[in-house]
Amino acid sequence: MTLQGRKIAILIAPRGTEEPEFVQPREAVTRAGANVTVIGLEAGEAETFNNDLDPGGRYAVDAIIEGASASGFDGLIIPGGCVGADTFRASKAVVAFIREFFEQGKPVGVICHGPWTLVEADVVKGRTLTSFPTLQTDIRNAGGTWVDQEVVTDQGLVTSRNPKDLPAFCAKIVEEFAEGRHPAQARSA
């Protein structure tokens, strides 16, 4: 499956994004031919973590969230990491950016604690998704259906539970990004 010519955004928090959940999806869509833009809250570099505690690598931020628009991208990846996801959901700019993808019917891949951002963006109602198990009550309270599965796809939204699910998650986001817009996703946002 090719993503030649597709522009994919991937979020990274200043500190706290789970490294494999950032690196592996970025590599998967890049290998498939996509142009990837790393979007952060601050310019410069962002430090990732492993298991929310152990320092990971530092990665360059290509663009900051202020002024970013979903109209410039074909898809979005939201990595997890408890601290990173919590940082994302506290940012009005990030939440608005995420909501735009749903309003435009564009595919979104979210893993682990990342669905906290979907709850904050108010795009969970009526959808079936998975996440790190501790988020299941948040998802249900937001009107979604939580399931314990390796990967779940619902109208262009791809979700997975944790780094162990990355092979399935990466394959599915490439597939969904290749399919493009999902009109039903826009209607339910």
Side-chain angles (χ1 to χ4, degrees):
M1 200 153 293
T2 182
L3 296 179
Q4 208 63 39
R6 304 268 184 185
K7 295 178 183 174
I8 306 299
I10 185 168
L11 296 176
I12 191 167
R15 289 162 299 286
T17 294
E18 184 73 22
E19 186 169 51
E21 295 172 5
F22 170 78
V23 171
Q24 291 181 37
R26 184 183 68 167
E27 288 175 352
V29 297
T30 299
R31 273 194 312 273
N35 296 318
V36 179
T37 301
V38 177
I39 298 181
L41 299 177
E42 304 168 355
E45 290 185 332
E47 182 180 6
T48 60
F49 284 81
N50 292 291
N51 302 314
D52 288 324
L53 300 172
D54 301 321
R58 297 186 69 78
Y59 298 91
V61 171
D62 300 320
I64 60 169
I65 192 67
E66 297 300 329
S69 172
S71 62
F73 298 98
D74 299 300
L76 173 64
I77 301 168
I78 306 170
C82 184
V83 173
D86 194 49
T87 301
F88 291 149
R89 72 179 177 161
S91 166
K92 289 182 182 181
V94 169
V95 171
F97 184 65
I98 291 166
R99 183 146 181 77
E100 282 181 40
F101 279 88
F102 285 85
E103 290 168 348
Q104 295 174 23
K106 294 180 178 179
V108 177
V110 191
I111 188 166
C112 199
H113 285 80
W116 266 340
T117 64
L118 305 180
V119 169
E120 197 65 33
D122 196 24
V123 295
V124 170
K125 188 174 184 178
R127 296 181 192 282
T128 300
L129 59 153
T130 193
S131 67
F132 195 76
T134 59
L135 276 64
Q136 63 184 291
T137 299
D138 297 322
I139 290 167
R140 289 182 181 128
N141 287 343
T145 300
W146 186 87
V147 294
D148 186 11
Q149 295 177 8
E150 181 179 52
V151 66
V152 176
T153 305
D154 185 332
Q155 303 171 27
L157 171 63
V158 179
T159 53
S160 282
R161 302 169 298 193
N162 57 54
K164 292 178 184 174
D165 297 337
L166 278 164
F169 178 75
C170 291
K172 189 51 93 171
I173 61 171
V174 168
E175 180 183 322
E176 290 299 305
F177 292 161
E179 287 179 11
R181 289 181 187 258
H182 292 74
Q185 179 173 319
R187 283 193 298 274
S188 61

mmCIF file of all heavy atoms in Angstrom, residues 41-91:
data_model
loop_
_atom_site.group_PDB
_atom_site.id
_atom_site.type_symbol
_atom_site.label_atom_id
_atom_site.label_comp_id
_atom_site.label_asym_id
_atom_site.label_seq_id
_atom_site.Cartn_x
_atom_site.Cartn_y
_atom_site.Cartn_z
ATOM 1 N N LEU A 41 4.116 21.408 20.595
ATOM 2 C CA LEU A 41 3.606 22.590 21.278
ATOM 3 C C LEU A 41 4.635 23.708 21.304
ATOM 4 O O LEU A 41 4.284 24.875 21.457
ATOM 5 C CB LEU A 41 3.199 22.236 22.713
ATOM 6 C CG LEU A 41 2.098 21.185 22.848
ATOM 7 C CD1 LEU A 41 1.855 20.875 24.316
ATOM 8 C CD2 LEU A 41 0.829 21.636 22.186
ATOM 9 N N GLU A 42 5.906 23.323 21.174
ATOM 10 C CA GLU A 42 7.010 24.281 21.221
ATOM 11 C C GLU A 42 7.977 23.979 20.081
ATOM 12 O O GLU A 42 8.117 22.830 19.674
ATOM 13 C CB GLU A 42 7.771 24.139 22.550
ATOM 14 C CG GLU A 42 6.922 24.294 23.774
ATOM 15 C CD GLU A 42 7.642 23.870 25.051
ATOM 16 O OE1 GLU A 42 8.781 23.354 24.986
ATOM 17 O OE2 GLU A 42 7.053 24.058 26.132
ATOM 18 N N ALA A 43 8.667 24.998 19.625
ATOM 19 C CA ALA A 43 9.690 24.820 18.585
ATOM 20 C C ALA A 43 10.909 24.130 19.189
ATOM 21 O O ALA A 43 11.085 24.084 20.405
ATOM 22 C CB ALA A 43 10.081 26.175 18.008
ATOM 23 N N GLY A 44 11.746 23.591 18.337
ATOM 24 C CA GLY A 44 12.990 22.966 18.776
ATOM 25 C C GLY A 44 12.895 21.461 18.759
ATOM 26 O O GLY A 44 12.555 20.864 17.742
ATOM 27 N N GLU A 45 13.208 20.850 19.895
ATOM 28 C CA GLU A 45 13.163 19.402 20.023
ATOM 29 C C GLU A 45 12.234 19.000 21.162
ATOM 30 O O GLU A 45 12.018 19.777 22.096
ATOM 31 C CB GLU A 45 14.562 18.843 20.332
ATOM 32 C CG GLU A 45 15.525 18.937 19.183
ATOM 33 C CD GLU A 45 16.852 18.267 19.501
ATOM 34 O OE1 GLU A 45 17.247 18.208 20.691
ATOM 35 O OE2 GLU A 45 17.502 17.799 18.552
ATOM 36 N N ALA A 46 11.723 17.788 21.069
ATOM 37 C CA ALA A 46 10.890 17.229 22.122
ATOM 38 C C ALA A 46 11.517 15.925 22.577
ATOM 39 O O ALA A 46 12.021 15.153 21.764
ATOM 40 C CB ALA A 46 9.474 16.990 21.605
ATOM 41 N N GLU A 47 11.477 15.695 23.881
ATOM 42 C CA GLU A 47 12.045 14.476 24.440
ATOM 43 C C GLU A 47 10.947 13.444 24.672
ATOM 44 O O GLU A 47 9.930 13.738 25.294
ATOM 45 C CB GLU A 47 12.738 14.771 25.775
ATOM 46 C CG GLU A 47 13.399 13.556 26.390
ATOM 47 C CD GLU A 47 14.077 13.861 27.719
ATOM 48 O OE1 GLU A 47 13.949 14.986 28.237
ATOM 49 O OE2 GLU A 47 14.733 12.947 28.235
ATOM 50 N N THR A 48 11.173 12.246 24.154
ATOM 51 C CA THR A 48 10.229 11.159 24.369
ATOM 52 C C THR A 48 10.643 10.359 25.603
ATOM 53 O O THR A 48 11.731 10.555 26.140
ATOM 54 C CB THR A 48 10.191 10.216 23.154
ATOM 55 O OG1 THR A 48 11.497 9.675 22.945
ATOM 56 C CG2 THR A 48 9.701 10.947 21.907
ATOM 57 N N PHE A 49 9.750 9.466 26.011
ATOM 58 C CA PHE A 49 10.014 8.605 27.157
ATOM 59 C C PHE A 49 9.609 7.182 26.812
ATOM 60 O O PHE A 49 8.849 6.948 25.875
ATOM 61 C CB PHE A 49 9.236 9.087 28.389
ATOM 62 C CG PHE A 49 9.850 10.298 29.010
ATOM 63 C CD1 PHE A 49 9.605 11.565 28.492
ATOM 64 C CD2 PHE A 49 10.703 10.179 30.095
ATOM 65 C CE1 PHE A 49 10.189 12.685 29.047
ATOM 66 C CE2 PHE A 49 11.297 11.290 30.668
ATOM 67 C CZ PHE A 49 11.039 12.546 30.133
ATOM 68 N N ASN A 50 10.112 6.246 27.589
ATOM 69 C CA ASN A 50 9.742 4.843 27.474
ATOM 70 C C ASN A 50 9.103 4.441 28.800
ATOM 71 O O ASN A 50 9.695 4.655 29.855
ATOM 72 C CB ASN A 50 10.974 3.984 27.192
ATOM 73 C CG ASN A 50 11.527 4.281 25.810
ATOM 74 O OD1 ASN A 50 10.914 3.953 24.810
ATOM 75 N ND2 ASN A 50 12.668 4.934 25.757
ATOM 76 N N ASN A 51 7.900 3.892 28.713
ATOM 77 C CA ASN A 51 7.139 3.519 29.912
ATOM 78 C C ASN A 51 6.902 4.720 30.824
ATOM 79 O O ASN A 51 6.851 4.586 32.037
ATOM 80 C CB ASN A 51 7.842 2.397 30.677
ATOM 81 C CG ASN A 51 8.031 1.182 29.812
ATOM 82 O OD1 ASN A 51 7.110 0.759 29.129
ATOM 83 N ND2 ASN A 51 9.224 0.627 29.823
ATOM 84 N N ASP A 52 6.768 5.890 30.264
ATOM 85 C CA ASP A 52 6.482 7.142 30.972
ATOM 86 C C ASP A 52 7.557 7.553 31.977
ATOM 87 O O ASP A 52 7.400 8.560 32.653
ATOM 88 C CB ASP A 52 5.124 7.089 31.685
ATOM 89 C CG ASP A 52 3.965 7.150 30.714
ATOM 90 O OD1 ASP A 52 4.076 7.856 29.708
ATOM 91 O OD2 ASP A 52 2.951 6.481 30.973
ATOM 92 N N LEU A 53 8.629 6.780 32.125
ATOM 93 C CA LEU A 53 9.634 7.081 33.142
ATOM 94 C C LEU A 53 11.052 7.205 32.597
ATOM 95 O O LEU A 53 11.797 8.091 32.991
ATOM 96 C CB LEU A 53 9.622 5.990 34.232
ATOM 97 C CG LEU A 53 8.322 5.811 34.985
ATOM 98 C CD1 LEU A 53 8.396 4.576 35.871
ATOM 99 C CD2 LEU A 53 7.997 7.033 35.816
ATOM 100 N N ASP A 54 11.430 6.292 31.724
ATOM 101 C CA ASP A 54 12.798 6.249 31.223
ATOM 102 C C ASP A 54 12.960 7.178 30.026
ATOM 103 O O ASP A 54 12.184 7.091 29.068
ATOM 104 C CB ASP A 54 13.172 4.824 30.819
ATOM 105 C CG ASP A 54 13.063 3.846 31.977
ATOM 106 O OD1 ASP A 54 13.428 4.242 33.107
ATOM 107 O OD2 ASP A 54 12.609 2.707 31.751
ATOM 108 N N PRO A 55 13.961 8.062 30.057
ATOM 109 C CA PRO A 55 14.160 8.973 28.936
ATOM 110 C C PRO A 55 14.361 8.228 27.615
ATOM 111 O O PRO A 55 14.990 7.170 27.576
ATOM 112 C CB PRO A 55 15.429 9.742 29.307
ATOM 113 C CG PRO A 55 15.537 9.602 30.785
ATOM 114 C CD PRO A 55 14.939 8.262 31.117
ATOM 115 N N GLY A 56 13.796 8.785 26.582
ATOM 116 C CA GLY A 56 13.965 8.247 25.231
ATOM 117 C C GLY A 56 14.847 9.187 24.432
ATOM 118 O O GLY A 56 15.721 9.851 24.984
ATOM 119 N N GLY A 57 14.556 9.308 23.164
ATOM 120 C CA GLY A 57 15.328 10.183 22.292
ATOM 121 C C GLY A 57 14.737 11.581 22.218
ATOM 122 O O GLY A 57 13.664 11.854 22.758
ATOM 123 N N ARG A 58 15.459 12.427 21.542
ATOM 124 C CA ARG A 58 14.998 13.792 21.282
ATOM 125 C C ARG A 58 14.716 13.888 19.788
ATOM 126 O O ARG A 58 15.510 13.422 18.974
ATOM 127 C CB ARG A 58 16.043 14.803 21.727
ATOM 128 C CG ARG A 58 16.298 14.739 23.246
ATOM 129 C CD ARG A 58 17.237 15.835 23.720
ATOM 130 N NE ARG A 58 16.651 17.154 23.635
ATOM 131 C CZ ARG A 58 15.765 17.672 24.503
ATOM 132 N NH1 ARG A 58 15.366 16.950 25.522
ATOM 133 N NH2 ARG A 58 15.293 18.886 24.355
ATOM 134 N N TYR A 59 13.602 14.523 19.445
ATOM 135 C CA TYR A 59 13.167 14.592 18.052
ATOM 136 C C TYR A 59 12.831 16.031 17.671
ATOM 137 O O TYR A 59 12.218 16.761 18.456
ATOM 138 C CB TYR A 59 11.952 13.677 17.842
ATOM 139 C CG TYR A 59 12.306 12.238 18.109
ATOM 140 C CD1 TYR A 59 12.154 11.691 19.382
ATOM 141 C CD2 TYR A 59 12.844 11.441 17.109
ATOM 142 C CE1 TYR A 59 12.516 10.379 19.651
ATOM 143 C CE2 TYR A 59 13.216 10.131 17.364
ATOM 144 C CZ TYR A 59 13.051 9.607 18.635
ATOM 145 O OH TYR A 59 13.411 8.318 18.895
ATOM 146 N N ALA A 60 13.220 16.381 16.469
ATOM 147 C CA ALA A 60 12.981 17.731 15.963
ATOM 148 C C ALA A 60 11.492 17.960 15.725
ATOM 149 O O ALA A 60 10.795 17.086 15.201
ATOM 150 C CB ALA A 60 13.752 17.957 14.669
ATOM 151 N N VAL A 61 11.034 19.129 16.102
ATOM 152 C CA VAL A 61 9.666 19.559 15.830
ATOM 153 C C VAL A 61 9.707 20.339 14.516
ATOM 154 O O VAL A 61 10.469 21.296 14.383
ATOM 155 C CB VAL A 61 9.127 20.443 16.983
ATOM 156 C CG1 VAL A 61 7.797 21.061 16.620
ATOM 157 C CG2 VAL A 61 9.033 19.622 18.267
ATOM 158 N N ASP A 62 8.903 19.911 13.546
ATOM 159 C CA ASP A 62 8.881 20.565 12.235
ATOM 160 C C ASP A 62 7.998 21.801 12.221
ATOM 161 O O ASP A 62 8.254 22.749 11.477
ATOM 162 C CB ASP A 62 8.377 19.596 11.162
ATOM 163 C CG ASP A 62 9.243 18.361 11.024
ATOM 164 O OD1 ASP A 62 10.481 18.481 11.087
ATOM 165 O OD2 ASP A 62 8.672 17.259 10.871
ATOM 166 N N ALA A 63 6.932 21.778 13.006
ATOM 167 C CA ALA A 63 5.980 22.898 13.045
ATOM 168 C C ALA A 63 5.334 22.925 14.426
ATOM 169 O O ALA A 63 5.179 21.883 15.058
ATOM 170 C CB ALA A 63 4.907 22.726 11.973
ATOM 171 N N ILE A 64 4.945 24.108 14.864
ATOM 172 C CA ILE A 64 4.241 24.197 16.142
ATOM 173 C C ILE A 64 2.734 24.207 15.893
ATOM 174 O O ILE A 64 2.263 24.552 14.812
ATOM 175 C CB ILE A 64 4.686 25.414 16.980
ATOM 176 C CG1 ILE A 64 4.422 26.723 16.246
ATOM 177 C CG2 ILE A 64 6.150 25.289 17.364
ATOM 178 C CD1 ILE A 64 4.598 27.950 17.140
ATOM 179 N N ILE A 65 2.001 23.829 16.921
ATOM 180 C CA ILE A 65 0.561 23.659 16.798
ATOM 181 C C ILE A 65 -0.157 24.983 16.509
ATOM 182 O O ILE A 65 -1.155 24.999 15.779
ATOM 183 C CB ILE A 65 -0.035 22.962 18.043
ATOM 184 C CG1 ILE A 65 -1.479 22.516 17.783
ATOM 185 C CG2 ILE A 65 0.078 23.828 19.280
ATOM 186 C CD1 ILE A 65 -1.642 21.432 16.760
ATOM 187 N N GLU A 66 0.335 26.069 17.069
ATOM 188 C CA GLU A 66 -0.301 27.369 16.802
ATOM 189 C C GLU A 66 -0.245 27.649 15.305
ATOM 190 O O GLU A 66 0.818 27.686 14.710
ATOM 191 C CB GLU A 66 0.395 28.484 17.574
ATOM 192 C CG GLU A 66 0.320 28.340 19.081
ATOM 193 C CD GLU A 66 -1.094 28.319 19.644
ATOM 194 O OE1 GLU A 66 -2.001 28.955 19.083
ATOM 195 O OE2 GLU A 66 -1.275 27.634 20.673
ATOM 196 N N GLY A 67 -1.381 27.815 14.707
ATOM 197 C CA GLY A 67 -1.451 28.090 13.275
ATOM 198 C C GLY A 67 -1.541 26.848 12.409
ATOM 199 O O GLY A 67 -1.753 26.952 11.200
ATOM 200 N N ALA A 68 -1.377 25.655 12.982
ATOM 201 C CA ALA A 68 -1.503 24.425 12.193
ATOM 202 C C ALA A 68 -2.976 24.190 11.856
ATOM 203 O O ALA A 68 -3.863 24.523 12.632
ATOM 204 C CB ALA A 68 -0.950 23.231 12.975
ATOM 205 N N SER A 69 -3.212 23.625 10.691
ATOM 206 C CA SER A 69 -4.578 23.368 10.245
ATOM 207 C C SER A 69 -4.667 21.979 9.633
ATOM 208 O O SER A 69 -3.792 21.569 8.868
ATOM 209 C CB SER A 69 -4.997 24.408 9.212
ATOM 210 O OG SER A 69 -6.246 24.064 8.641
ATOM 211 N N ALA A 70 -5.736 21.275 9.935
ATOM 212 C CA ALA A 70 -5.957 19.953 9.362
ATOM 213 C C ALA A 70 -6.072 20.005 7.849
ATOM 214 O O ALA A 70 -5.799 19.022 7.166
ATOM 215 C CB ALA A 70 -7.203 19.320 9.966
ATOM 216 N N SER A 71 -6.457 21.162 7.300
ATOM 217 C CA SER A 71 -6.622 21.265 5.849
ATOM 218 C C SER A 71 -5.309 21.030 5.101
ATOM 219 O O SER A 71 -5.331 20.689 3.923
ATOM 220 C CB SER A 71 -7.214 22.620 5.473
ATOM 221 O OG SER A 71 -6.341 23.652 5.859
ATOM 222 N N GLY A 72 -4.173 21.150 5.770
ATOM 223 C CA GLY A 72 -2.889 20.917 5.132
ATOM 224 C C GLY A 72 -2.413 19.474 5.194
ATOM 225 O O GLY A 72 -1.303 19.163 4.739
ATOM 226 N N PHE A 73 -3.238 18.575 5.743
ATOM 227 C CA PHE A 73 -2.816 17.189 5.947
ATOM 228 C C PHE A 73 -3.894 16.209 5.505
ATOM 229 O O PHE A 73 -5.075 16.538 5.460
ATOM 230 C CB PHE A 73 -2.491 16.955 7.431
ATOM 231 C CG PHE A 73 -1.364 17.805 7.920
ATOM 232 C CD1 PHE A 73 -1.621 18.990 8.601
ATOM 233 C CD2 PHE A 73 -0.045 17.448 7.676
ATOM 234 C CE1 PHE A 73 -0.588 19.798 9.041
ATOM 235 C CE2 PHE A 73 1.001 18.242 8.113
ATOM 236 C CZ PHE A 73 0.731 19.420 8.799
ATOM 237 N N ASP A 74 -3.460 14.978 5.225
ATOM 238 C CA ASP A 74 -4.364 13.904 4.825
ATOM 239 C C ASP A 74 -4.701 12.962 5.977
ATOM 240 O O ASP A 74 -5.621 12.160 5.862
ATOM 241 C CB ASP A 74 -3.734 13.088 3.689
ATOM 242 C CG ASP A 74 -3.476 13.950 2.463
ATOM 243 O OD1 ASP A 74 -4.438 14.513 1.922
ATOM 244 O OD2 ASP A 74 -2.296 14.067 2.072
ATOM 245 N N GLY A 75 -3.938 13.026 7.080
ATOM 246 C CA GLY A 75 -4.171 12.157 8.214
ATOM 247 C C GLY A 75 -3.390 12.631 9.418
ATOM 248 O O GLY A 75 -2.490 13.479 9.296
ATOM 249 N N LEU A 76 -3.726 12.084 10.576
ATOM 250 C CA LEU A 76 -3.118 12.488 11.841
ATOM 251 C C LEU A 76 -2.806 11.265 12.688
ATOM 252 O O LEU A 76 -3.628 10.352 12.785
ATOM 253 C CB LEU A 76 -4.082 13.396 12.612
ATOM 254 C CG LEU A 76 -3.693 13.787 14.039
ATOM 255 C CD1 LEU A 76 -2.419 14.636 14.059
ATOM 256 C CD2 LEU A 76 -4.841 14.519 14.717
ATOM 257 N N ILE A 77 -1.623 11.285 13.328
ATOM 258 C CA ILE A 77 -1.238 10.254 14.289
ATOM 259 C C ILE A 77 -1.092 10.916 15.652
ATOM 260 O O ILE A 77 -0.394 11.923 15.785
ATOM 261 C CB ILE A 77 0.091 9.583 13.899
ATOM 262 C CG1 ILE A 77 -0.002 8.948 12.512
ATOM 263 C CG2 ILE A 77 0.488 8.539 14.951
ATOM 264 C CD1 ILE A 77 1.344 8.530 11.930
ATOM 265 N N ILE A 78 -1.743 10.322 16.654
ATOM 266 C CA ILE A 78 -1.647 10.808 18.030
ATOM 267 C C ILE A 78 -1.040 9.699 18.878
ATOM 268 O O ILE A 78 -1.721 8.737 19.224
ATOM 269 C CB ILE A 78 -3.022 11.219 18.588
ATOM 270 C CG1 ILE A 78 -3.712 12.224 17.663
ATOM 271 C CG2 ILE A 78 -2.871 11.781 20.002
ATOM 272 C CD1 ILE A 78 -5.170 12.499 18.009
ATOM 273 N N PRO A 79 0.254 9.815 19.206
ATOM 274 C CA PRO A 79 0.879 8.796 20.043
ATOM 275 C C PRO A 79 0.399 8.920 21.483
ATOM 276 O O PRO A 79 -0.175 9.929 21.877
ATOM 277 C CB PRO A 79 2.375 9.110 19.968
ATOM 278 C CG PRO A 79 2.535 10.254 19.045
ATOM 279 C CD PRO A 79 1.189 10.838 18.790
ATOM 280 N N GLY A 80 0.690 7.890 22.270
ATOM 281 C CA GLY A 80 0.325 7.905 23.673
ATOM 282 C C GLY A 80 1.468 8.352 24.562
ATOM 283 O O GLY A 80 2.340 9.116 24.153
ATOM 284 N N GLY A 81 1.427 7.809 25.740
ATOM 285 C CA GLY A 81 2.283 8.272 26.826
ATOM 286 C C GLY A 81 1.364 9.050 27.743
ATOM 287 O O GLY A 81 0.709 10.007 27.303
ATOM 288 N N CYS A 82 1.265 8.631 28.961
ATOM 289 C CA CYS A 82 0.332 9.246 29.910
ATOM 290 C C CYS A 82 0.554 10.752 30.026
ATOM 291 O O CYS A 82 -0.370 11.544 29.902
ATOM 292 C CB CYS A 82 0.484 8.556 31.261
ATOM 293 S SG CYS A 82 -0.681 9.111 32.498
ATOM 294 N N VAL A 83 1.799 11.158 30.229
ATOM 295 C CA VAL A 83 2.110 12.584 30.403
ATOM 296 C C VAL A 83 1.891 13.347 29.097
ATOM 297 O O VAL A 83 1.303 14.429 29.084
ATOM 298 C CB VAL A 83 3.553 12.759 30.922
ATOM 299 C CG1 VAL A 83 3.951 14.227 30.957
ATOM 300 C CG2 VAL A 83 3.696 12.134 32.306
ATOM 301 N N GLY A 84 2.351 12.774 27.990
ATOM 302 C CA GLY A 84 2.190 13.443 26.700
ATOM 303 C C GLY A 84 0.733 13.637 26.327
ATOM 304 O O GLY A 84 0.320 14.716 25.902
ATOM 305 N N ALA A 85 -0.076 12.590 26.485
ATOM 306 C CA ALA A 85 -1.494 12.689 26.144
ATOM 307 C C ALA A 85 -2.213 13.696 27.037
ATOM 308 O O ALA A 85 -3.073 14.447 26.577
ATOM 309 C CB ALA A 85 -2.156 11.315 26.249
ATOM 310 N N ASP A 86 -1.848 13.727 28.308
ATOM 311 C CA ASP A 86 -2.457 14.692 29.217
ATOM 312 C C ASP A 86 -2.067 16.113 28.817
ATOM 313 O O ASP A 86 -2.883 17.033 28.875
ATOM 314 C CB ASP A 86 -2.044 14.394 30.658
ATOM 315 C CG ASP A 86 -2.901 15.132 31.669
ATOM 316 O OD1 ASP A 86 -4.138 15.075 31.552
ATOM 317 O OD2 ASP A 86 -2.329 15.773 32.567
ATOM 318 N N THR A 87 -0.829 16.295 28.386
ATOM 319 C CA THR A 87 -0.373 17.607 27.904
ATOM 320 C C THR A 87 -1.156 18.023 26.668
ATOM 321 O O THR A 87 -1.592 19.173 26.554
ATOM 322 C CB THR A 87 1.144 17.569 27.604
ATOM 323 O OG1 THR A 87 1.839 17.206 28.800
ATOM 324 C CG2 THR A 87 1.650 18.897 27.094
ATOM 325 N N PHE A 88 -1.367 17.090 25.738
ATOM 326 C CA PHE A 88 -2.125 17.394 24.519
ATOM 327 C C PHE A 88 -3.550 17.835 24.842
ATOM 328 O O PHE A 88 -4.055 18.805 24.302
ATOM 329 C CB PHE A 88 -2.216 16.177 23.592
ATOM 330 C CG PHE A 88 -0.942 15.762 22.933
ATOM 331 C CD1 PHE A 88 -0.712 14.427 22.631
ATOM 332 C CD2 PHE A 88 0.037 16.677 22.584
ATOM 333 C CE1 PHE A 88 0.447 14.015 22.008
ATOM 334 C CE2 PHE A 88 1.212 16.271 21.962
ATOM 335 C CZ PHE A 88 1.415 14.931 21.671
ATOM 336 N N ARG A 89 -4.214 17.109 25.735
ATOM 337 C CA ARG A 89 -5.623 17.419 25.991
ATOM 338 C C ARG A 89 -5.803 18.731 26.747
ATOM 339 O O ARG A 89 -6.893 19.284 26.772
ATOM 340 C CB ARG A 89 -6.339 16.273 26.686
ATOM 341 C CG ARG A 89 -5.966 16.053 28.127
ATOM 342 C CD ARG A 89 -6.777 14.898 28.702
ATOM 343 N NE ARG A 89 -6.372 14.640 30.074
ATOM 344 C CZ ARG A 89 -7.100 13.983 30.936
ATOM 345 N NH1 ARG A 89 -8.279 13.515 30.580
ATOM 346 N NH2 ARG A 89 -6.672 13.772 32.155
ATOM 347 N N ALA A 90 -4.733 19.230 27.350
ATOM 348 C CA ALA A 90 -4.798 20.524 28.040
ATOM 349 C C ALA A 90 -4.568 21.694 27.090
ATOM 350 O O ALA A 90 -4.735 22.846 27.477
ATOM 351 C CB ALA A 90 -3.765 20.561 29.169
ATOM 352 N N SER A 91 -4.206 21.403 25.846
ATOM 353 C CA SER A 91 -3.941 22.456 24.860
ATOM 354 C C SER A 91 -5.165 22.687 23.977
ATOM 355 O O SER A 91 -5.573 21.801 23.220
ATOM 356 C CB SER A 91 -2.754 22.056 23.979
ATOM 357 O OG SER A 91 -2.688 22.876 22.836
#
